[in-house]
Amino acid sequence: MALRLRTQMPELQGATEWINGEVTKEDLKGQPVLIHFWSVSCGLCKKSMPDVLKMRDEYADQGLKVIGIHMPRSEKDTDVDTVKENIEKYEMTHPQAVDNQHNITDAFENEFVPAFYLFDQEGQLRHRSAGEKALSMLERPLKRVLGENE
């Protein structure tokens, strides 16, 4: 993961399709944002999904916006119907970008799923993590960005 801390959030452009509403970087101004990369073929992504949703719901009233980016890892993962089925199955009611051309993935210089990029209200990257321990590593930076540790 090469996107450096304090870097401005890349544009969310070039998605194959948006599910649950399209968002732009502009729409997210002034709000803390968690960008969550996942894939239908990733077991760890599915295992961590309830925790992602819990975080989304728990911090929604503090303004946290969660945006899912589906990053296909193989040709099979590019089937939009399968992606939609998973979005429904895991109750991912927040905006989801289907990134079959890897345009958003490349803009974030992301190589992994699950991966999390946390941006503060100014749109600056404050934390990034990927893999099995990614969610547990996210808790403290998230609370910092939301001003809970002040």
Side-chain angles (χ1 to χ4, degrees):
M1 279 197 266
L3 199 62
R4 298 218 323 270
L5 292 179
R6 305 219 178 257
T7 304
Q8 280 293 310
M9 183 193 298
E11 295 291 341
L12 299 171
Q13 291 173 334
T16 311
E17 188 174 335
W18 280 91
I19 297 156
N20 301 328
E22 183 172 347
V23 286
T24 64
K25 180 181 163 179
E26 194 62 33
D27 298 333
L28 300 168
K29 270 213 168 93
Q31 304 172 88
V33 178
L34 179 63
I35 304 285
H36 169 220
F37 286 86
W38 65 282
S39 185
V40 290
S41 64
C42 164
L44 193 56
C45 296
K46 292 173 182 172
K47 210 177 96 187
S48 66
M49 206 57 81
D51 295 326
V52 174
L53 302 183
K54 186 174 162 250
M55 204 175 271
R56 174 198 69 193
D57 298 342
E58 198 174 315
Y59 297 110
D61 56 345
Q62 288 163 278
L64 181 68
K65 294 285 177 243
V66 177
I67 310 297
I69 311 290
H70 180 264
M71 175 186 137
R73 300 191 302 170
S74 68
E75 192 59 43
K76 211 175 95 207
D77 289 354
T78 60
D79 179 25
V80 176
D81 290 334
T82 305
V83 175
K84 284 179 179 173
E85 282 165 28
N86 276 270
I87 288 171
E88 206 166 297
K89 178 180 174 185
Y90 291 97
E91 297 176 13
M92 293 187 262
T93 54
H94 50 289
Q96 299 287 329
V98 180
D99 193 27
N100 282 354
Q101 267 87 52
H102 279 207
N103 291 321
I104 298 172
T105 302
D106 291 348
F108 278 77
E109 300 171 28
N110 182 52
E111 298 170 41
F112 306 102
V113 286
F116 300 91
Y117 291 79
L118 178 65
F119 295 89
D120 64 15
Q121 291 81 343
E122 280 78 57
Q124 284 190 356
L125 182 63
R126 300 314 292 262
H127 175 82
R128 55 163 200 253
S129 55
E132 201 168 340
K133 302 262 185 278
L135 267 175
S136 58
M137 291 162 54
L138 183 62
E139 198 74 34
R140 282 190 39 218
L142 179 59
K143 287 187 168 159
R144 230 183 358 259
V145 163
L146 296 173
E148 283 189 16
N149 290 8
E150 308 304 287

